[in-house]
């Protein structure tokens, strides 16, 4: 536990619980955005996405459409990652004397908004990806997802 969090715990026990939750949420956002962005920014050149395209036997036109989807998602993920980093920096710079339940609530809502937009971007990309597939590919993709083997934007 960080020194800042220990000091906060001494001043107001309720703050520690809220800050630990926020810290975990922001770390999860940063990790997920960074990993996905790194993979997605390569488009079909990413090993995981290339393997999925090969496994589903995507034709050239489908690969081009999927590449556009992935690159669009990468841009969205990069913007969300920047927003997450800025939010984390704001939280770290916030003087403890200004920390209140209202401030915690506002920052938590902003973090939740970033998480919601990230979830929306992932799901929208997956939906658009699914629309590119033909019936046999959709069945194969559904099976891969069921088995947890699909790597599309995860």
């Amino acid at each position: 536990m960080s020194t800042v969090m220990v000091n906060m715990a001494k001043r107001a026990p309720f703050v520690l619980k809220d800050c630990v939750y926020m810290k975990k949420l922001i770390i999860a956002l940063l990790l997920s955005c960074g990993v996905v962005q790194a993979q997605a920014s390569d488009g079909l050149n990413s090993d995981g996405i290339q393997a999925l395209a090969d496994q589903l036997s995507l034709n050239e036109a489908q690969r081009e459409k999927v590449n556009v989807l992935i690159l669009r998602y990468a841009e969205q993920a990069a913007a969300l990652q920047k927003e997450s980093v800025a939010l984390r920096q704001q939280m770290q710079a916030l003087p403890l004397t200004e920390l209140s339940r209202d401030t915690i609530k506002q920052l938590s809502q902003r973090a939740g908004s970033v998480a919601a937009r990230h979830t929306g971007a992932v799901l929208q990309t997956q939906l658009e990806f699914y629309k590119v597939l033909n019936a046999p590919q959709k069945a194969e993709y559904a099976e891969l997802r069921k088995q947890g083997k699909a790597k599309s934007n995860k």
Side-chain angles (χ1 to χ4, degrees):
M1 190 177 309
S2 72
T3 307
V4 171
M5 294 177 97
V6 170
N7 290 337
M8 288 170 39
K10 291 177 184 175
R11 294 179 189 195
F14 72 88
V15 173
L16 180 63
K17 179 181 165 194
D18 291 338
C19 285
V20 168
Y21 172 75
M22 277 183 15
K23 183 176 179 180
K24 286 180 182 178
L25 177 63
I26 295 300
I27 289 170
L29 281 171
L30 290 173
L31 289 176
S32 67
C33 287
V35 169
V36 172
Q37 179 192 347
Q39 185 179 31
S41 64
D42 290 337
L44 282 177
N45 295 325
S46 162
D47 290 340
I49 295 170
Q50 181 65 48
L52 179 62
D54 291 344
Q55 195 165 10
L56 294 175
S57 302
L58 299 184
N59 63 38
E60 195 58 38
Q62 288 174 311
R63 288 173 186 263
E64 288 177 21
K65 289 177 183 177
V66 169
N67 198 47
V68 168
L69 293 174
I70 292 167
L71 294 175
R72 183 182 318 139
Y73 171 77
E75 288 177 21
Q76 293 170 334
L80 290 167
Q81 183 179 20
K82 286 179 185 177
E83 193 172 341
S84 293
V85 169
L87 182 59
R88 185 189 59 177
Q89 290 171 342
Q90 181 184 356
M91 288 188 294
Q92 289 176 338
L94 185 67
L96 294 177
T97 56
E98 295 177 22
L99 194 59
S100 67
R101 281 196 180 270
D102 286 339
T103 304
I104 291 169
K105 183 178 178 181
Q106 289 171 359
L107 291 171
S108 296
Q109 287 172 343
R110 286 182 51 204
S113 172
V114 172
R117 286 181 281 141
H118 181 256
T119 299
V122 168
L123 294 175
Q124 185 64 42
T125 302
Q126 287 187 359
L127 175 63
E128 291 174 21
F129 172 78
Y130 190 73
K131 289 178 181 180
V132 169
L133 305 178
N134 62 34
Q137 291 168 331
K138 287 178 180 180
E140 176 69 16
Y141 184 58
E143 185 60 32
L144 290 171
R145 284 183 53 130
K146 183 178 176 184
Q147 296 172 6
K149 295 181 180 177
K151 301 288 185 200
S152 173
N153 290 326
K154 287 185 181 179

